[in-house]
């Protein structure tokens, strides 16, 4: 491995980096220190380290910049693996080992980890580097294809990474010389050429922040000019690559975000040629994004079009002088600690800057031509979002706010109505301020013809409020969009629920539906309804919901039903009342000091809730954790009580590498043995043979065998668990207790009529509908279901109902269905509890095309709603469920054809089949399972007490 380090002017801090090399746990490295004509004695420092350790190699050259220095380092490096470091930064001791493990274990050509900013004198105060906040860094260790994880492209620095030399040589990588921002184009070339990238979500690179760094002042003339040229080159590079998903993310999220930090401060750019460069880059982004430009934050989209047309050079030439009269014109401080207020009409207002930003917006809007469509739109956005909304949000409260409100209202009167109709407020406050000035601003906003959503239906179902409507969108919803409906009361309370479904129905029209549970907190309050659209990298869009007409009241049925009165149709405003419900029974008396420590204590998992119900009703105290370290601490403590072990993935799957996984397993098993020796009862519920898609198979097997050996009782959910496990590990037969998975009766609410359910989720009224429900992962075999649906389209078409969160690879498969005739209704996200009944009630049959499973919660959920199910014909399933009339089994050896054949037959429409499912659910009630678990707790305590004697 070769680490290439350009060195310039870092004599004082270079030893920190070189010492961090010496402290590495991975020792097979060489460091190529390229002394780039450094004016201090950095060369002397480097030579002294080279004298002490031959792994340091020193190359001295005249000053040519960091790009040239890196190229010289590449020409000199001898390693098959290449890493880059800046000479003022620091590596954590395990940095090289972690990156090497990620690269080698994944068989890819590039691995990346996380860098954090720190300031000289303190390694403790850290902030994650700004390009490393993507979703790939919030998950476990994984390998992603760039097409499936476009946020990989946002990470444009070459440090905190490891590359195979073969990749660098294959693309003939050279860093641009004589420029700053020298790594953003080469980094993109490497990412696109690598295709697949291993991600180790570990903070292992310390990036020093100080005033000399390139990012300290991105408006410095040389820095800005270099960035503009390199940004243009990256756009050309990603467009030439040809992947539209990568183009949209890189240009519409990453490049646009960086462009915006320059564009919003354009009044501070004194060099007109640089202003023109910002405009040219805007024109290129508009060209590349095309119609997708309309998906951007409204203010940014309007500004981008204005810049692309050369607007700042033509209209805002006199703006800097006008803004100079308002306050400070200093740049943003590099350390983010400056109290100076930057005067610009484009910056987002805050309580401290709102007044001066509003004045700047008025100045800028006055210079725009209302007869020009682009300029009128930007003027409308600025006056609403930068001037009027801050007053409505309570950011400006003094007498100045009254005068400002009047002037904004006068300016808005001169904006053409078509421009106002394109405006959507970028956000709304969580707590609406109570003041005359804020109320006046809200009154103006509500009187403007701004963009809005329409309400088509409102109804009450028991304690639920169901809303359905439409919104005009320039582009259809993207799979990455998050659409939600927000209820806001005037006293600051709010509730947000994801749309149950949303889909394009006619051109630019998107229909949506949402279901709320309005609790007692909503009683007696005026509540306004808004619709919110969000996507990472885009600004949020929140618009009021309006209605042409509304009933005066809506009434639900039952003792706790809602009663709604509508106070306004534009925006829709309602008031909720509730009848008195039946009193809640007093809790039973507490059991005598029983304590259960659950691992992992996934209380959001309904199975855990159902299993613990009876014990909790007796007053049992449940503690627990999801952190293996906290589990070890608990097991080593003097605490008492049953240890209940369930899923094992939190122990092994967050490890850095195989060795780390083995270390964690050692600690957990040692602590578990100590707890057993101390007399603590231990019970293990076996959910899976091994964690799904485990990265550390050997460690997982050893952990499972250890749990089996050290537990007093082993709770299995079926009779064939050992058969499914095979020879991986052995469950002592004398410890096994079978307590089957229950149904979910009473957990998610009653079923609803199929027609109502289909209307609620937005599926077709008459089609045969096939449901897959739950997390969508590769091991669940969804490709077989998709293939079967495609094969049936000519003779027996079906509509797929897909509800749950997909992995990136499965999401890509779902997107490919667009090229077929298969009808799909989907909610590719977490499904809220109050939505579950709609999905299962809408379907005709559920297909669960799993591979090698022990049990299925979705199967039992289907039974709860009387829904027939298709499962794999595996003995581990058929042994326990083969006699169930509501289940059919497909042949795993020919899964696609077998599933298609089962869907052709009308067996699942037989009312007797549905009744069989409901009877099964009633027999396997959550109460019965909870009582069975209570018996297991009694038994495990008795066994442990006997063993202790």
């Amino acid at each position: 491995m070769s680490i290439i380090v350009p060195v310039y002017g870092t004599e004082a801090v270079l030893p920190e980096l070189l010492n961090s090399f010496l402290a590495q746990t991975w020792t097979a490295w060489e460091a190529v220190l390229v002394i780039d004509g450094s004016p201090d004695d950095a060369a002397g420092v480097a030579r002294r380290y080279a004298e002490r350790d031959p792994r340091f190699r020193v190359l001295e050259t005249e000053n040519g910049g960091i790009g040239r220095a890196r190229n010289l380092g590449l020409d000199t490096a001898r390693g098959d693996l290449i890493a880059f470091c800046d000479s003022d930064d620091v590596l954590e001791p395990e940095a090289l080992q972690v990156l090497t493990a990620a690269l080698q274990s994944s068989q890819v050509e590039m691995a990346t980890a996380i860098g954090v900013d720190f300031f000289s004198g303190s390694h403790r105060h850290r902030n994650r580097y700004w390009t490393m906040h993507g979703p790939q860094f919030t998950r476990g260790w994984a390998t992603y294809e760039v097409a499936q994880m476009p946020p990989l492209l946002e990470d444009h620095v070459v440090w905190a990474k490891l590359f195979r030399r073969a990749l660098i040589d294959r693309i003939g990588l050279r860093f641009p010389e004589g420029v700053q921002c020298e790594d953003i184009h080469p980094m993109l070339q490497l990412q696109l050429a690598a295709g697949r990238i291993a991600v180790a979500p570990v903070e292992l690179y310390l990036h020093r922040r100080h005033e000399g760094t390139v990012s300290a002042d991105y408006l410095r003339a040389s820095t800005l000019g270099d960035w503009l040229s390199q940004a243009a080159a990256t756009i050309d590079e990603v467009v030439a690559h040809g992947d539209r998903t990568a183009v949209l993310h890189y240009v519409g999220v990453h490049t646009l975000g960086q462009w915006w930090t320059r564009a919003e401060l354009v009044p501070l750019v004194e060099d007109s040629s640089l202003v023109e460069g910002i405009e040219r880059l805007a024109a290129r982004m508009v060209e590349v994004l095309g119609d997708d430009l309309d998906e951007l934050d409204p203010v940014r989209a309007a500004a981008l079009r204005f810049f692309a047309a050369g607007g700042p050079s033509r209209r805002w030439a006199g703006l800097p002088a006008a803004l100079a009269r308002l306050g400070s014109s200093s740049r943003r401080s590099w350390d983010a600690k400056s109290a100076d207020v930057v005067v610009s009409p484009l910056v987002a207002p805050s309580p401290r800057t709102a007044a001066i930003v509003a004045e700047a917006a008025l100045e800028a809007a006055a210079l725009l031509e209302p007869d020009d469509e682009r300029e009128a739109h930007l003027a409308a956005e600025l006056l609403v979002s930068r001037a009027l909304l801050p007053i409505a949000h309570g950011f400006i409260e003094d007498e100045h706010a009254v005068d400002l409100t009047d002037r904004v209202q006068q300016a808005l009167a001169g904006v053409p109505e078509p421009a106002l109709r394109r405006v959507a407020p970028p956000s709304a406050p969580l707590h609406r301020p109570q003041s005359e000035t804020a109320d006046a601003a809200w009154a103006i906003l509500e009187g403007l013809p701004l963009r809005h959503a329409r309400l088509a239906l409102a109804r009450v179902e028991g304690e639920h409020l169901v809303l359905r409507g439409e919104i005009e969108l320039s582009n259809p919803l993207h799979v990455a969009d998050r659409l939600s409906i927000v209820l806001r009361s005037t006293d600051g309370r709010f509730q947000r629920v994801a749309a149950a479904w949303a889909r394009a129905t006619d051109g630019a029209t998107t229909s949506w539906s949402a279901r709320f549970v309005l609790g007692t907190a909503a009683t007696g309050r005026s509540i306004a309804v808004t619709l919110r659209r969000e996507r990472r990298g885009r600004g949020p869009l929140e618009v009021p919901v309006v209605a042409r007409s509304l009933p005066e009241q809506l009434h639900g049925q039952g003792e706790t039903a809602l009663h709604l009165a509508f106070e306004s149709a534009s925006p829709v405003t309602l008031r909720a009342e509730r009848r008195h419900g039946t009193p809640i029974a007093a809790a039973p008396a507490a059991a005598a000091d029983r304590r259960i420590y659950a691992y992992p204590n996934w209380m959001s998992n309904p199975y855990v809730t159902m299993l613990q119900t009876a014990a909790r009703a007796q007053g049992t105290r449940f503690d627990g954790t999801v952190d293996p370290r906290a589990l070890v601490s608990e097991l080593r403590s003097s605490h008492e009580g049953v240890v209940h072990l369930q899923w094992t993935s939190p122990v092994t799957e967050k490890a850095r590498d195989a060795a780390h996984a083995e270390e964690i397993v050692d600690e957990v098993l040692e602590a578990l043995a100590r707890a057993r020796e101390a007399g603590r009862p231990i019970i293990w519920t076996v959910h899976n043979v091994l964690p799904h898609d485990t990265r550390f198979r050997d460690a997982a097997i050893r952990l499972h065998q250890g749990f089996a050996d050290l537990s007093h009782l082993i709770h299995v959910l079926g009779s064939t668990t050992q058969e499914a496990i095979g020879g991986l590990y052995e469950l002592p037969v004398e410890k096994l207790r079978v307590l089957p998975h229950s149904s979910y009766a009473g957990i998610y609410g009653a079923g609803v009529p199929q027609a109502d359910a289909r209307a609620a989720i937005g599926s077709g009224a008459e089609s045969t509908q096939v449901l897959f429900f739950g997390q969508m992962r590769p091991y669940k075999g969804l490709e077989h279901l998709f293939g079967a649906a495609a094969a049936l389209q000519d003779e027996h078409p079906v509509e797929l109902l897909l509800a749950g969160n997909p992995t990136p690879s499965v999401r890509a498969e779902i997107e490919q269905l667009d090229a077929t005739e298969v009808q799909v209704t989907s909610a590719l996200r977490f499904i809220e509890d109050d939505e579950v009944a709609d999905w299962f009630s809408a379907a005709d049959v559920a297909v669960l095309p799993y591979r090698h499973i022990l049990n299925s919660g979705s199967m039992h959920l289907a039974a709860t709603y009387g829904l027939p199910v298709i499962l794999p014909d595996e003995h581990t399933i058929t042994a326990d469920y083969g006699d169930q009339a509501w289940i059919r089994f497909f042949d795993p050896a020919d899964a696609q054809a077998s599933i298609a054949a089962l869907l052709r037959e009308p067996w699942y429409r037989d009312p007797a089949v549905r009744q069989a499912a409901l009877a099964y659910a009633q027999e396997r009630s959550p109460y019965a399972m909870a009582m069975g678990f209570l018996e297991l707790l009694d038994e495990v305590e008795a066994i442990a007490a006997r063993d202790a004697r």
Side-chain angles (χ1 to χ4, degrees):
M1 178 193 301
S2 297
I3 312 167
I4 297 170
V5 186
V7 180
Y8 181 87
T10 54
E11 173 190 356
V13 296
L14 181 59
E16 288 188 65
L17 174 66
L18 304 186
N19 287 335
S20 74
F21 288 174
L22 295 172
Q24 291 298 302
T25 55
W26 181 271
T27 59
W29 53 263
E30 67 164 6
V32 182
L33 310 178
V34 184
I35 312 301
D36 185 33
S38 183
D40 57 9
D41 192 33
V45 173
R47 285 192 296 270
R48 286 192 289 275
Y49 274 82
E51 291 169 0
R52 291 166 45 195
D53 192 320
R55 291 178 296 178
F56 292 107
R57 299 170 56 209
V58 180
L59 175 63
E60 297 188 53
T61 181
E62 68 276 6
N63 180 248
I66 191 170
R68 179 173 176 271
R70 283 180 174 155
N71 289 335
L72 290 172
L74 278 174
D75 295 340
T76 306
R78 297 177 297 204
D80 292 332
L81 305 177
I82 301 293
F84 297 95
C85 285
D86 289 347
S87 61
D88 54 352
D89 294 342
V90 181
L91 294 185
E92 293 284 19
E94 296 180 342
L96 300 182
Q97 182 176 357
V98 167
L99 284 169
T100 302
L103 192 74
Q104 305 289 30
S105 64
S106 303
Q107 297 299 304
V108 296
E109 294 184 301
M110 174 183 166
T112 182
I114 299 173
V116 294
D117 289 334
F118 78 100
F119 294 90
S120 293
S122 175
H123 288 194
R124 288 177 296 178
H125 179 66
R126 302 179 179 183
N127 296 305
R128 183 172 293 193
Y129 191 70
W130 70 273
T131 67
M132 298 177 176
H133 287 272
Q136 70 272 25
F137 292 116
T138 64
R139 305 174 183 178
W141 288 48
T143 300
Y144 301 102
E145 294 183 10
V146 170
Q148 297 171 347
M149 184 63 74
L152 287 164
L153 301 179
E154 298 174 26
D155 184 13
H156 65 204
V157 293
V158 294
W159 41 259
K161 296 169 183 67
L162 188 62
F163 309 93
R164 293 192 190 275
R165 181 65 189 243
L167 169 65
I168 291 172
D169 291 343
R170 189 171 73 250
I171 66 173
L173 182 75
R174 304 303 285 178
F175 288 87
E177 299 186 7
V179 301
Q180 301 181 54
C181 311
E182 80 297 328
D183 53 356
I184 62 175
H185 186 200
M187 189 64 241
L188 179 64
Q189 291 176 297
L190 288 164
Q191 290 164 328
L192 295 176
R196 296 175 65 244
I197 298 172
V199 178
V202 182
E203 295 181 355
L204 50 72
Y205 189 99
L206 307 185
H207 174 248
R208 191 184 306 270
R209 295 301 300 258
H210 54 76
E211 199 164 4
T213 56
V214 171
S215 55
D217 184 356
Y218 42 71
L219 295 187
R220 187 184 298 137
S222 59
T223 303
L224 179 55
D226 287 346
W227 179 81
L228 288 169
S229 66
Q230 293 301 300
T234 60
I235 292 177
D236 292 342
E237 186 77 36
V238 74
V239 169
H241 183 65
D243 185 332
R244 185 61 180 171
T245 301
V247 170
L248 291 179
H249 192 92
Y250 190 81
V251 179
V253 177
H254 179 64
T255 306
L256 176 66
Q258 293 188 77
W259 176 87
W260 184 253
T261 64
R262 281 83 175 169
E264 66 179 351
L265 300 182
V266 76
L268 308 183
V269 180
E270 299 171 355
D271 187 333
S272 61
S273 66
L274 292 176
V275 174
E276 292 170 359
I278 295 173
E279 293 170 344
R280 284 193 300 273
L281 187 61
R284 179 67 171 128
M285 287 192 287
V286 168
E287 175 190 4
V288 169
L289 292 173
D291 291 341
D292 292 294
L293 181 63
D294 291 322
E295 294 186 4
L296 304 180
D297 163 79
V299 177
R300 294 191 182 193
L304 193 63
R305 289 189 173 98
F306 174 66
F307 274 74
S313 295
R314 289 186 295 106
R315 299 294 186 194
W316 283 355
L319 186 59
L323 298 184
R325 297 192 299 269
L326 299 178
S328 168
S329 61
S330 62
R331 293 173 174 81
R332 286 176 171 159
S333 174
W334 65 271
D335 62 359
K337 297 176 182 177
S338 171
D340 290 336
V341 176
V342 177
V343 182
S344 169
L346 296 177
V347 297
S350 68
R352 186 170 66 88
T353 66
I356 203 164
V357 170
E359 293 284 4
L362 277 167
E363 292 279 358
L367 297 173
L368 300 175
E369 174 55 58
D371 292 334
D372 183 290
E373 181 181 345
R374 282 183 296 262
E375 295 184 27
H377 181 206
L378 180 59
E381 294 285 2
L382 292 178
L383 291 172
V384 170
S385 68
R386 299 303 191 253
L388 191 57
L389 266 177
I391 303 171
H393 290 183
F395 290 175
I396 311 171
E397 289 286 359
D398 54 17
E399 294 181 1
H400 178 218
V402 177
D403 172 65
L404 193 60
T405 303
D406 291 340
R407 287 189 286 131
V408 173
Q409 189 171 19
Q410 293 172 14
L412 284 166
V415 177
E417 184 172 311
L420 289 170
R421 290 192 180 280
R422 298 175 65 184
V423 174
S427 62
L430 298 183
H431 301 286
R432 186 161 169 171
Q434 305 292 306
S435 72
E436 292 184 6
T437 308
D439 289 344
W442 279 114
I444 295 171
L445 281 168
E446 291 170 357
L448 293 173
L450 304 182
R451 199 187 312 182
H452 60 266
R454 297 184 298 274
L455 184 69
L457 176 146
R459 72 169 184 255
V460 173
E461 296 178 356
E463 296 187 13
H464 293 85
L465 168 63
V466 178
L467 300 176
R468 189 173 305 146
E470 298 175 335
I471 185 172
E472 300 293 330
L473 297 174
S474 302
N475 284 324
L477 286 173
H478 187 273
V479 292
D481 284 328
R482 180 181 180 190
L483 196 72
S484 57
I485 287 72
V486 185
L487 305 184
R488 297 181 181 276
S489 63
T490 53
D491 63 354
R493 295 176 181 268
F494 72 100
Q495 182 180 358
R496 182 168 70 179
V497 168
W501 57 263
R503 66 178 182 179
T505 53
D506 180 22
T509 301
T510 293
S511 297
W512 52 268
S513 178
R515 179 189 293 262
F516 289 82
V517 177
L518 290 179
T520 55
T523 301
R525 291 182 167 83
S526 292
I527 299 171
V529 183
T530 63
L531 184 140
R532 187 177 182 92
R533 176 187 185 181
E534 297 173 275
R535 189 193 308 178
R536 184 175 176 273
R538 309 284 199 262
L541 176 75
E542 188 165 322
V543 298
V545 175
V546 304
R548 291 189 179 92
S549 63
L550 285 169
E552 291 185 4
Q553 292 186 335
L554 288 176
H555 301 281
Q557 302 295 320
E559 293 191 28
T560 60
L562 289 173
H563 295 252
L564 298 181
F566 290 92
E567 300 178 339
S568 169
S570 182
V572 171
T573 307
L574 55 90
R575 182 179 293 270
E577 301 292 345
R578 295 161 58 95
R579 292 177 182 170
H580 294 293
T582 54
I584 299 175
D593 300 327
R594 172 176 275 176
R595 174 179 181 263
I596 311 295
Y597 192 86
Y599 181 85
N601 64 333
W602 287 342
M603 292 309 301
S604 60
N605 187 317
Y607 175 82
V608 175
T609 302
M610 295 188 299
L611 195 68
Q612 296 176 357
T613 299
R616 288 183 180 274
Q618 286 194 348
T620 298
R621 171 185 166 190
F622 280 85
D623 297 326
T625 184
V626 298
D627 185 348
R629 294 169 298 183
L631 172 65
V632 169
S633 178
E634 165 72 21
L635 295 174
R636 289 174 175 171
S637 72
S638 59
H639 296 162
E640 298 181 349
V642 175
V643 177
H644 182 205
L645 305 168
Q646 296 204 62
W647 296 272
T648 60
S649 56
V651 176
T652 57
E653 300 311 299
K654 293 186 181 296
R656 295 188 301 271
D657 51 35
H660 187 216
E662 295 289 352
E663 291 175 10
I664 298 173
V665 170
D666 284 341
E667 284 193 61
V668 169
L669 294 181
E670 177 275 328
L672 191 64
R674 181 184 299 187
R676 174 165 177 145
E677 186 177 346
R680 295 191 67 169
I682 302 169
I683 182 172
W684 177 29
T685 297
V686 183
H687 289 279
N688 309 110
V689 173
L690 291 175
H692 298 305
D693 301 323
T694 179
R695 296 186 299 127
F696 308 114
R697 181 180 175 86
D698 291 344
I701 291 172
R702 192 161 65 86
L703 178 67
H704 279 229
Q705 187 63 70
F707 277 9
D709 294 340
L710 293 169
S711 296
H712 293 92
L713 283 183
I714 301 173
H715 164 206
V716 293
L717 282 70
S719 62
T720 60
T721 300
Q722 184 64 70
E723 178 183 337
I725 292 169
L728 294 178
Y729 54 91
E730 184 176 352
L731 303 178
V733 66
E734 69 276 7
K735 297 182 180 181
L736 296 183
R737 303 293 185 272
V738 178
L739 178 61
H741 198 305
S742 76
S743 70
Y744 290 83
I747 302 300
Y748 291 110
V752 297
Q754 189 175 72
D756 292 346
R758 292 184 172 187
I761 68 172
S763 62
E766 302 297 334
S767 58
T768 298
Q769 298 184 14
V770 180
L771 173 67
F772 181 90
F773 187 94
Q775 292 188 348
M776 302 181 198
R777 297 178 177 178
Y779 73 86
K780 294 194 176 182
L782 278 158
E783 71 276 10
H784 302 312
L785 172 58
F786 299 161
L792 288 170
Q793 288 314 292
D794 292 337
E795 55 176 307
H796 188 87
V798 298
E799 180 175 355
L800 295 181
L801 308 184
L802 306 178
N805 254 331
T807 63
S809 62
V810 176
R811 185 183 292 273
E813 292 180 37
I814 295 170
E815 291 174 354
Q816 291 171 7
L817 289 173
D818 291 341
T820 72
E821 297 298 320
V822 178
Q823 295 296 309
V824 179
T825 296
S826 64
L828 305 183
R829 53 171 172 78
F830 176 79
I831 304 300
E832 302 289 343
D833 288 358
D834 61 336
E835 302 175 65
V836 171
D838 286 334
W839 288 93
F840 282 89
S841 299
D844 294 301
V845 62
V847 176
L848 305 176
Y850 301 151
R851 304 187 187 101
H852 310 305
I853 62 166
L854 284 179
N855 57 85
S856 169
S858 294
M859 180 196 86
H860 290 88
L861 195 49
T864 304
Y865 292 98
L867 184 66
V869 174
I870 297 176
L871 289 171
D873 188 0
E874 295 181 348
H875 186 253
T876 53
I877 298 292
T878 58
D880 290 323
Y881 307 112
D883 60 345
Q884 295 295 323
W886 56 282
I887 302 176
R888 294 290 187 275
F889 300 93
F890 68 86
D891 180 4
D894 191 10
Q896 178 176 312
S898 182
I899 291 171
L902 289 169
L903 290 175
R904 285 190 193 95
E905 301 298 325
W907 62 274
Y908 46 83
R909 297 187 182 279
D910 185 347
V913 171
R914 287 183 169 267
Q915 280 301 123
L918 291 171
Y920 173 91
Q922 185 174 8
E923 177 185 347
R924 298 280 186 94
S925 71
Y927 174 78
M929 182 178 72
M931 292 302 295
F933 183 64
L934 193 60
E935 294 175 1
L936 290 181
L937 293 178
D938 292 339
E939 183 180 4
V940 76
E941 287 178 333
I943 293 173
R946 184 187 65 222
D947 289 352
R949 290 197 294 268

